[in-house]
Amino acid sequence: STMFLVGLSGGIASGKSTVVAVLRELGCAVIDADVIARQVVQPHSKAHQQILQHFGTEILLENGEINREALGNIIFSQPEKRRLLNSITHPEILKEMLKQVLKYFILGYRYVILDIPLLFETRRLTRFMKYTVLVYCDPPTQLLRLMKRSGLGAAEAEARISSQLPLDEKRKWATHVIDNSGDRESTRRQVLQLHARLQGSLHFLWARLLLGTAVAGLGGLLFLLIRHFIS
């Protein structure tokens, strides 16, 4: 009967950004872990300084920001470097996500979408989610979309896809699946159905009414106390 969290994930070129766009159109609260990941490594931040200590200044752009492509090339081929980077950035990302969740709770949202690319790979955050949603597409479609989007050859695209947990494996862990193998309208219909299911709860309505009544009561009490002390 209170606000709950929904974890959203997918795979490279599975169409997660399409689903997020529809959710935002519907007015849903979406917290993008990738956006936060960029924010927490801005120059002069704690994570930025730690990354420079371990990876050197060679990964910097001229403006002092981290060259994500250069850093990505390092961690793509060196798992131990990837783990090191995660140990630096993940605590900062989680702190910022928690701040945003609290903001949406205060604003009275029914649920909050946490857009986390590696939700099913790490599995550590899934226990905090009431539901998990996977944006899925069949492997041939995923490969073609990645090749078209990035200009990669088939072998390179397959290597990128193989570096992630297969979508069919993630599908086993998700409580809801949005199949994005078809056209945009088909995907949109599925997102609308999911939103209606998550949003439609009389229990939540009563919880908000009770909270509103409690806040109004405290406000009235505060008003009476102020009148008492200034009279």
Side-chain angles (χ1 to χ4, degrees):
S1 61
T2 58
M3 187 190 79
F4 56 87
L5 303 179
V6 179
L8 175 70
S9 193
I12 187 170
S14 69
K16 183 164 59 67
S17 59
T18 299
V19 171
V20 169
V22 177
L23 290 167
R24 291 191 188 278
E25 288 175 16
L26 294 170
C28 298
V30 181
I31 299 175
D32 189 328
D34 265 352
V35 171
I36 294 175
R38 295 187 187 97
Q39 293 172 344
V40 300
V41 296
Q42 288 299 302
H44 309 299
S45 68
K46 176 182 175 182
H48 185 274
Q49 295 171 0
Q50 291 179 333
I51 290 170
L52 292 186
Q53 289 175 5
H54 293 283
F55 292 89
T57 57
E58 296 80 7
I59 60 167
L60 288 182
L61 297 169
E62 290 184 3
N63 62 2
E65 294 184 2
I66 290 173
N67 185 331
R68 291 170 59 85
E69 183 178 356
L71 185 57
N73 290 335
I74 294 173
I75 65 173
F76 181 74
S77 58
Q78 301 182 59
E80 71 281 359
K81 294 287 187 179
R82 187 185 311 128
R83 287 191 290 270
L84 173 59
L85 180 64
N86 289 342
S87 71
I88 294 171
T89 59
H90 283 185
E92 301 302 312
I93 294 170
L94 289 174
K95 282 193 288 187
E96 182 57 33
M97 289 176 70
L98 183 58
K99 290 179 186 177
Q100 294 192 27
V101 167
L102 180 59
K103 177 188 73 174
Y104 287 122
F105 174 76
I106 293 172
L107 291 173
Y109 278 77
R110 171 68 174 117
Y111 66 93
V112 175
I113 297 281
L114 298 180
D115 178 358
I116 306 174
L118 298 179
L119 178 67
F120 296 104
E121 278 85 350
T122 59
R123 301 287 306 281
R124 290 188 301 121
L125 294 177
T126 54
R127 65 180 182 272
F128 300 110
M129 311 297 167
K130 185 169 184 179
Y131 303 108
T132 54
V133 180
L134 174 69
V135 181
Y136 174 88
C137 71
D138 60 76
T141 300
Q142 184 184 20
L143 179 62
L144 288 174
R145 285 177 177 169
L146 180 57
M147 291 170 63
K148 183 178 179 180
R149 185 183 77 183
S150 62
L152 295 173
E156 292 175 298
E158 287 176 350
R160 293 287 180 91
I161 292 173
S162 297
S163 69
Q164 298 182 341
L165 191 67
L167 288 173
D168 284 321
E169 184 68 24
K170 294 180 182 181
R171 195 168 188 162
K172 300 174 184 177
W173 303 105
T175 55
H176 298 282
V177 175
I178 294 176
D179 192 335
N180 190 39
S181 302
D183 58 26
R184 184 182 177 89
E185 188 53 38
S186 172
T187 300
R188 182 180 179 83
R189 285 196 299 269
Q190 294 176 67
V191 177
L192 291 175
Q193 291 170 359
L194 175 64
H195 174 61
R197 188 180 305 173
L198 297 175
Q199 189 71 18
S201 171
L202 290 177
H203 292 296
F204 177 73
L205 174 61
W206 283 113
R208 298 312 305 179
L209 286 174
L210 288 172
L211 179 60
T213 301
V215 170
L218 288 173
L221 178 59
L222 181 60
F223 175 73
L224 291 174
L225 287 172
I226 291 174
R227 284 193 60 184
H228 171 75
F229 283 110
I230 65 176
S231 60

